[in-house]
Amino acid sequence: MPKKVDHEARRREISQALWRIASTRGLEGASLRDVAAEAGISLGRLQHYFRTKDEMLVFALRHIETLAQQRIRARIEALDGEPTPRDILRACLTGMLPLDEQSRIGFLVGVAHFHRAVHDPALRTDIRDGIPQLRGFFADQLRQATERGEVRPGRDADDEAMVLISLVDGLSTYILLDVHTPEKAVQLLDMQLDQLFDGPGRSDARTCE
C-alpha cells in the first residue's frame, strides 16, 4: 500500500521553514530553493505544494493568522466572568502586536506579503477583504460599549476601529525597529483605550494583562 501523505500537514511544515527564515534573515531575498533547503526537501517537492513564492506566503500568512486567532480566543475564554467589549478589543489588539516569537514571525511574514502586494494587485485581495472584516468586528464591540455607557455617544465606531488597527500596525513596526519596547507599546495601546472608553459606565479594571 502506498504511504498516505497528509498534504495539509506538509504545507504547514513548509510554512514553518518559511517562518524560520523570516525570523533569522528575512524573506525579501529568500527564494523557493532557500525554503526547500530549510524544509529539507527538494525544490520539485516544494513546488508540488506551492508553485510560486506568493502562493507560499499567502498560505503561511493565513496559517499564522489562524494560530493567532486561536491564541486570542483562548485568552478571552480565560477571562473571569463575561468579557466586556474593552476586554475583547484589548485581547485582540495585544494579540496582533509582536510581543513573543510566534507573533513576531507572523508580523514579519505579513511584512513580506505587504511588500509584494504593493506591486501586485492580485495579492491585495486578502487585505481588502480582511481589514474591513476586522474593522467591522471592532466597530461592533465599540457600538456595544456605547450602549453600555462605556464609550461616549457621538464617536464614529468604524473610524475609531480603524484608528485602533492603524495604531497596532504602527506600534508593531516600532517594536521590531526597537523604537519601543513591547511593554511601552502595550502602555500606549492602553492609553488609547483609556481615551476611547471614557464614558460614565466604563470599567477601569484591566483583566487581560
Side-chain angles (χ1 to χ4, degrees):
M1 293 290 293
K3 183 178 179 180
K4 186 177 180 179
V5 177
D6 186 337
H7 295 289
E8 192 69 12
R10 185 58 58 85
R11 289 187 178 93
R12 290 195 296 269
E13 290 172 3
I14 294 171
S15 293
Q16 289 165 2
L18 182 78
W19 300 349
R20 290 193 295 272
I21 293 175
S23 67
T24 54
R25 64 178 189 268
L27 291 173
E28 285 71 21
S31 64
L32 287 176
R33 191 177 301 278
D34 294 327
V35 179
E38 179 66 31
I41 60 176
S42 68
L43 176 60
R45 175 58 61 183
L46 184 145
Q47 290 178 313
H48 177 73
Y49 297 100
F50 301 108
R51 292 172 299 171
T52 67
K53 184 176 178 179
D54 290 338
E55 282 186 7
M56 186 170 55
L57 273 174
V58 169
F59 179 87
L61 190 59
R62 287 177 178 170
H63 184 42
I64 287 174
E65 289 173 348
T66 298
L67 295 176
Q69 291 167 4
Q70 292 171 353
R71 292 199 310 271
I72 291 169
R73 188 178 299 113
R75 293 178 65 179
I76 294 173
E77 291 174 350
L79 294 171
D80 294 332
E82 185 70 21
T84 66
R86 175 174 176 148
D87 291 333
I88 294 172
L89 282 172
R90 190 175 189 276
C92 293
L93 292 164
T94 54
M96 293 164 62
L97 289 171
L99 301 179
D100 55 30
E101 185 62 19
Q102 189 173 65
S103 56
R104 179 180 178 275
I105 293 171
F107 189 76
L108 288 172
V109 173
V111 168
H113 179 269
F114 167 81
H115 183 266
R116 297 173 75 86
V118 167
H119 304 287
D120 187 344
L123 287 178
R124 297 177 201 164
T125 302
D126 285 349
I127 297 174
R128 284 199 304 265
D129 294 343
I131 294 300
Q133 290 175 10
L134 182 61
R135 180 186 60 197
F137 175 73
F138 284 1
D140 286 343
Q141 297 302 314
L142 291 172
R143 292 187 186 99
Q144 291 181 38
T146 301
E147 293 173 359
R148 293 160 57 103
E150 298 169 356
V151 172
R152 294 184 184 278
R155 291 183 179 269
D156 187 293
D158 290 304
D159 287 348
E160 296 291 354
M162 201 66 228
V163 167
L164 291 173
I165 294 170
S166 301
L167 175 63
V168 167
D169 282 345
L171 290 175
S172 297
T173 299
Y174 293 145
I175 289 173
L176 293 185
L177 295 175
D178 294 325
V179 175
H180 293 316
T181 64
E183 294 77 15
K184 183 63 175 179
V186 172
Q187 179 189 342
L188 292 172
L189 174 59
D190 280 331
M191 185 176 72
Q192 178 64 26
L193 289 174
D194 287 342
Q195 293 172 359
L196 182 56
F197 283 77
D198 64 347
R202 70 186 183 276
S203 173
D204 293 327
R206 291 179 187 161
T207 56
C208 189
E209 298 294 340

